Amino acid sequence: MEEGVERGMERDPDARWLARIMHTAFFLLLGASLARFLLRHDWEARSPWIIALTGALASLYLLGPVLGTRATPRRIAWLGTVVAVWVLLVVLAPSFAWCAVPLFYTGLRTLPARAALGLVALLTAFVVFAQVRLAHGGWDPNLIVAPPAVAALATGVFVYADRQAARQRALIDDLIRTRRELAAIERREGTLAERQRLSMEIHDTLAQGLSSQQMLLQAADRTWDGDPETARRHVRTAESIAERNLAEARRFVHDLAPADLAGGGGLEEALRGLAARESAAFRVDGAPVPLPDRAQSALLRIAQGALANIREHAGADSAAVTLTYLDDQVVLDVADDGRGFDPAERPGGVRGHGLPAMRVRAEQLGGTLTVESAPGEGTVLSAAIPLSIPPSPEP
């Protein structure tokens, strides 16, 4: 605990400032006491001793900061030596009594509470002794009352300030610990969010592509003998999808951005290429505006997931992708004329991760995802993203 107090005082500029003031006050009082003695007394036998003890006390006091503030054996021996030299000076020349005030501070800062109070009492007793001697036998109640009052006041102020500083250090330590815990929680939440994002990325690209390849290869196997040309066309389509998946996998390794956006052509070009590969119509309504990379990536992933669902589940004859720029948002619509479904039910059996993932993507950007569908009536999926996108959470 004392070691923590010392470190706290070393870090506290106010404590260093107070220490400098006390050191300055000590040397001023020491010099003033020596000057008073020399001015009021003729040269006598004790004069050389007083001058020598004054120099010794000043030299000893200069060693204090070098020894630190903890109650180590060296520090306690130093403090005892300083007090002993001061006592000798007070006995020889009572003028040095008020050098005790800075020594109060040194003792209170160095020693445990009980030992420090004992030292203060001893110093106060010698101050009273010196004041009585300086009075030359005249009675003055202040000579008895003032030194203990000053000592009590100095001790009380120091103890109060020290306890306040200790409470502040404890509060700061709690705040630092809490901040570290919050940072750890945020890192964990960021990690979980990143894992969820990666799972959606993999689902919307690699998993959907592998599923399409599987369906195409199964279809090619079924038609290989009866319709070789159709089977080869299925194989070529599967090969094209595998090539796209390979590009996506390499993009994951690089920076996890959609491969269709890596060429720098923008969202419209990426959606147009995606729609062409999926045999879907594509159009843009409104005046295009620059979109953040996060918004472009999310809308492209949503379109990929929606078209993959159409390909795998809808049985549609046609599909259309529309990108609409409004005053305050951009809207992506993906419509098909397939078999439709009940949005209240989980589509696709156990493979219903697509729609929740799309909804999460939209909501992460402050947007919404709506699905309008009914059995036998096709499906319209609409994702609306505001043009003013909230900042992304720190991982």
Side-chain angles (χ1 to χ4, degrees), residues 334-336 340-343 369-374 377-382:
V334 181
D336 70 79
F341 66 98
D342 183 356
L369 182 84
T370 57
V371 178
E372 297 178 4
S373 182
E377 297 184 7
T379 301
V380 177
L381 181 146
S382 180

Side-chain angles (χ1 to χ4, degrees), residues 167-383:
R167 283 192 285 268
Q168 289 178 358
R169 287 193 295 272
L171 178 60
I172 291 172
D173 290 341
D174 288 342
L175 290 175
I176 292 174
R177 183 169 56 253
T178 301
R179 185 174 64 181
R180 289 173 178 171
E181 292 174 354
L182 289 175
I185 292 174
E186 289 176 357
R187 284 194 295 271
R188 288 195 295 270
E189 290 178 349
T191 300
L192 293 176
E194 184 67 9
R195 288 178 178 176
Q196 183 183 27
R197 187 181 74 83
L198 289 175
S199 70
M200 293 188 299
E201 296 281 353
I202 293 171
H203 173 271
D204 291 344
T205 56
L206 301 181
Q208 295 282 16
L210 290 172
S211 176
S212 298
Q213 293 174 54
Q214 181 185 31
M215 294 175 60
L216 289 167
L217 292 175
Q218 289 173 347
D221 182 64
R222 289 193 300 269
T223 60
W224 193 267
D225 295 329
D227 190 354
E229 183 61 29
T230 300
R232 282 192 289 271
R233 187 169 61 251
H234 288 329
V235 171
R236 287 193 295 269
T237 304
E239 181 183 7
S240 175
I241 294 174
E243 182 179 356
R244 298 294 307 173
N245 274 10
L246 179 59
E248 289 287 356
R250 288 171 175 168
R251 182 56 53 184
F252 277 137
V253 174
H254 183 259
D255 60 1
L256 299 180
D260 288 310
L261 294 174
L267 179 62
E268 292 83 359
E269 182 177 335
L271 289 175
R272 184 174 288 106
L274 173 65
R277 291 193 300 272
E278 297 290 344
S279 301
F282 174 73
R283 79 170 189 269
V284 177
D285 291 336
V289 297
L291 295 176
D293 292 342
R294 294 172 56 214
Q296 295 187 53
S297 177
L299 290 172
L300 179 59
R301 294 306 191 199
I302 290 173
Q304 287 175 331
L307 290 173
N309 283 342
I310 292 173
R311 182 177 63 246
E312 294 185 26
H313 307 300
D317 293 327
S318 63
V321 179
T322 305
L323 184 66
T324 305
Y325 291 94
L326 302 177
D327 292 337
D328 58 347
Q329 62 182 355
V330 57
V331 180
L332 174 72
D333 294 312
V334 181
D336 70 79
D337 59 356
R339 63 174 61 97
F341 66 98
D342 183 356
E345 297 180 359
R346 187 176 184 182
V350 296
R351 296 172 58 187
H353 182 66
L355 283 178
M358 296 180 213
R359 182 168 286 109
V360 170
R361 288 184 187 278
E363 291 175 352
Q364 285 177 341
L365 298 176
T368 58
L369 182 84
T370 57
V371 178
E372 297 178 4
S373 182
E377 297 184 7
T379 301
V380 177
L381 181 146
S382 180

